[in-house]
């Protein structure tokens, strides 16, 4: 689902786009236009994508993108319908092009346009505490509660019968129905995305959002980052304990239970009915299957198949872990 909140400055003629991004190009693409930048799987035949690692070989071979930022050795994997744009550093050039399409996606300064809720139409529709602020382009359903000192910044949709606690900040987020967000949460801020380059770091734009589905509970002081190129998603009936961090692009399945102080690096996918004990860590770009149980304090650095039970660091099959630690 495309982020409805961010303005896209496209389309751009491809040659102009490459000129703006300072990418040297020996090919003449004539006046072909590019409408947006997307990941390999979701890009269509008017969009540009990127391909930086061979572990995405299968997806790259099937991409429908018109152009792809990549390296010379990876370009042969792309289908003939996709024009390769060869660069030395794929991720840095992707960040630059993304910023051209979405110039407001780099910074996450506080929302200057918020108003006291008493000065908005929500004063008669929502039960709220003291010092509540509301930004532009906000929708809130029926029977909702907003706690003290909470800020619903611009670009937020909240469904029916939701309870948002005190000292909460939300932006760039769609919340469905019957969701409980406890005190101190921060949802929808940009993720921890940057690339070191010589003596400075290049910030990566975050053009995705957070989607929280029905009947979710999010514990106190949890942080959920919006997606970079895709979205961060929390599945239906999933419960998150206190002080959990979910980085950009993670997709958490339905009916999951995640205990306190669990941390997720970016771009992992959890199946349904996953249970994770406290203080476990999940590395990035992994796939955790359905019905998986991960013991507290474990460090998950590899994908886990369905119906597995794991423990330890690195996390391994529970029976093997017990045998090795008798």
């Amino acid at each position: 689902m495309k982020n409805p909140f961010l303005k896209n400055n496209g389309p751009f003629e491809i040659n102009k786009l490459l000129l703006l991004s300072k990418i040297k190009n020996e090919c003449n693409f004539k006046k072909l236009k590019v409408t947006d930048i997307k990941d390999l799987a979701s890009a269509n035949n008017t969009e540009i994508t990127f391909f930086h690692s061979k572990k995405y070989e299968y997806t790259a071979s099937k991409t429908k993108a018109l152009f792809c930022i990549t390296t010379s050795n990876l370009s042969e994997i792309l289908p003939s319908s996709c024009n390769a744009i060869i660069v030395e550093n794929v991720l840095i050039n992707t960040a630059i092009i993304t910023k051209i399409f979405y110039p407001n996606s780099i910074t996450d300064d506080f929302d200057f346009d918020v108003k006291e809720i008493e000065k908005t139409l929500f004063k008669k529709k929502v039960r709220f505490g003291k010092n509540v602020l509301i930004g532009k382009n906000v929708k809130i359903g029926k029977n909702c509660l907003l706690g003290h000192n909470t800020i619903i910044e611009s670009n937020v949709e909240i469904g029916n019968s939701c309870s948002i606690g005190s000292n909460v900040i939300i932006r760039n987020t769609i919340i469905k129905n019957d969701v409980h967000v406890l005190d101190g949460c921060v949802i929808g801020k940009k993720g921890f995305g940057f690339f070191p380059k010589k003596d400075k770091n290049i910030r990566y734009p975050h053009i995705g959002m957070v989607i929280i589905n029905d009947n979710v509970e999010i514990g106190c002081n949890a942080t959920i980052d919006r997606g970079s190129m895709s979205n961060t998603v929390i599945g239906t009936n999933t419960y998150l304990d206190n002080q959990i961090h979910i980085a950009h692009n993670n997709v958490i399945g339905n009916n999951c239970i995640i205990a306190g102080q669990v941390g997720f690096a970016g771009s992992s996918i959890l199946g349904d009915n996953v249970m994770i004990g406290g203080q476990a860590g999940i590395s990035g770009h992994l796939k955790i299957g359905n019905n998986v149980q991960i013991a507290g304090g474990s460090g998950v650095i590899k994908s886990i198949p369905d119906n597995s039970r794991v423990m330890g660091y690195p996390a391994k099959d529970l029976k093997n872990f017990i045998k090795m630690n008798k």
Side-chain angles (χ1 to χ4, degrees), residues 227-238:
S228 54
M229 198 66 71
S230 55
N231 298 317
T232 303
V233 181
I234 311 297
T236 300
N237 197 42
T238 283

Side-chain angles (χ1 to χ4, degrees), residues 121-135:
L121 297 175
F122 295 111
K123 65 181 180 180
K124 296 182 179 180
K125 299 179 179 180
V126 178
R127 291 181 62 192
F128 56 90
K130 297 179 180 179
N131 195 34
V132 174
L133 303 177
I134 304 290

Side-chain angles (χ1 to χ4, degrees), residues 82-154:
C82 184
N83 300 285
I85 296 171
I86 307 301
V87 298
E88 291 184 5
N89 193 311
V90 174
L91 295 179
I92 288 178
N93 283 282
T94 300
I96 293 169
I97 287 180
T98 305
K99 185 179 178 181
I100 293 170
F101 277 102
Y102 299 95
N104 296 326
S105 60
I106 289 286
T107 58
D108 249 15
D109 298 329
F110 67 87
D111 191 345
F112 291 87
D113 296 321
V114 294
K115 295 181 181 179
E116 297 173 5
I117 193 170
E118 293 90 344
K119 297 179 181 179
T120 73
L121 297 175
F122 295 111
K123 65 181 180 180
K124 296 182 179 180
K125 299 179 179 180
V126 178
R127 291 181 62 192
F128 56 90
K130 297 179 180 179
N131 195 34
V132 174
L133 303 177
I134 304 290
K136 295 181 177 179
N137 193 26
V138 170
K139 298 178 181 179
I140 303 176
K142 300 177 181 178
N143 303 316
C144 290
L145 303 174
L146 301 179
H148 307 297
N149 305 312
T150 280
I151 307 174
I152 309 299
E153 295 191 352
S154 297

Side-chain angles (χ1 to χ4, degrees), residues 18 25 27 29 65-72 74-76 78-87:
L18 297 180
N25 176 54
C27 299
F29 295 121
L66 180 59
F67 294 97
C68 182
I69 307 161
T70 190
T71 58
S72 57
L74 293 175
S75 62
E76 297 178 358
L78 296 170
S80 58
S81 58
C82 184
N83 300 285
I85 296 171
I86 307 301
V87 298

